[in-house]
Amino acid sequence: MRKLTVMAVAATILSTGLLGNAQAETDYPNRPITMIVPWGAGGGTDAVGRVFASLLQQELGQPVNVVNRTGGSGVVGHSAIATAAPDGYTIGVMTIEIDMMHWQGLTELTYKDFDVLAVVNSDPGGLMVSADSEYKTAADLLAAIKSQPKGTFKGSGTGQGGIWHLGLAGWMLAEGLPADQVTWVPSQGAAPGITDMVAGGVDIVPSSLAEGRSMIDAKRVLPLASMSPERQELFPDTPTLKEAVVSVNVVEIECS
């Protein structure tokens, strides 16, 4: 058996059905399983991993322990999954960044280095600011970004070159601005990026709105737009980016 992994466009994870069959045929598992999450605790990928770990534990009758292995824009965690003993007792949550890291020269790993069992989660990108930000709409924020020198505004929410970084860069390009008009501050995931934003360290987090839901519900984060073709069911009052900014060429980011 090769390494078991899970991939999603926001996160990908393992099929309980596949493991159930393996258990019936080989008495697998007979000891605890480790699930590696390549991003920080409290973010969307971590939440997906912990939900599936709980379900797997119920299904398989063995503890499934979630371990956050962060660093290197996702390289550390993905490498830990890829190099684990191929015995089925180390599984992982793989994210779309596995298709980006090698292009940046960060690693030679690609999706071909994993056995992908199932896509389990796909979230569109969003656009969030701190609740005390002076910008209350995406149009106001864009106007300010355009009026200030490159680098005035800062964004965060994933590693350098990660999916949310690309989502923000894509928005800038769609508006005729340089991809690096907003300076990117790398983080170990959306949760620390949002925390930094609320503390005033950065101005924008373009991660999925679901990852900011607790802060949104607490009125500490304001969702300005969703990078999806339609409004999201969980955030019906938040416009799509195309609705919010008339000039935007549709930017659809469905990866976290």
Side-chain angles (χ1 to χ4, degrees), residues 24-224:
E25 296 171 6
T26 66
D27 294 326
Y28 166 86
N30 54 31
R31 56 187 171 87
I33 297 168
T34 296
M35 176 181 285
I36 296 174
V37 173
W39 301 101
T45 305
D46 179 65
V48 168
R50 291 181 187 278
V51 167
F52 272 83
S54 176
L55 294 173
L56 284 173
Q57 185 165 307
Q58 295 175 36
E59 178 75 15
L60 301 178
Q62 289 286 347
V64 180
N65 303 310
V66 174
V67 176
N68 297 89
R69 294 289 301 275
T70 61
S73 295
V75 172
V76 171
H78 285 92
S79 296
I81 299 168
T83 57
D87 56 9
Y89 287 92
T90 299
I91 61 178
V93 182
M94 185 167 74
T95 62
I96 193 64
E97 279 78 11
I98 195 63
D99 284 330
M100 306 168 189
M101 296 184 292
H102 60 287
W103 293 111
Q104 301 176 66
L106 299 176
T107 180
E108 294 183 0
L109 287 176
T110 72
Y111 71 92
K112 296 180 181 179
D113 294 293
F114 303 85
D115 279 332
V116 179
L117 299 184
V119 175
V120 300
N121 186 56
S122 177
D123 284 329
L127 189 63
M128 293 177 280
V129 296
S130 177
D132 59 8
S133 170
E134 62 181 288
Y135 310 108
K136 303 304 180 184
T137 69
D140 289 342
L141 176 63
L142 178 62
I145 292 172
K146 286 184 172 181
S147 69
Q148 297 297 321
K150 184 169 70 172
T152 300
F153 286 82
K154 296 180 176 65
S156 189
T158 189
Q160 187 79 20
I163 190 61
W164 304 137
H165 184 194
L166 295 187
L168 181 60
W171 182 36
M172 295 296 97
L173 290 173
E175 293 294 344
L177 296 167
D180 59 350
Q181 177 73 14
V182 175
T183 297
W184 190 256
V185 179
S187 70
Q188 302 300 338
I194 291 171
T195 299
D196 192 18
M197 179 178 70
V198 171
V202 298
D203 307 288
I204 312 162
V205 170
S207 74
S208 70
L209 299 183
E211 293 183 281
R213 186 177 181 183
S214 62
M215 287 288 208
I216 292 171
D217 290 345
K219 308 299 184 184
R220 301 187 68 188
V221 165
L222 178 65
L224 298 184

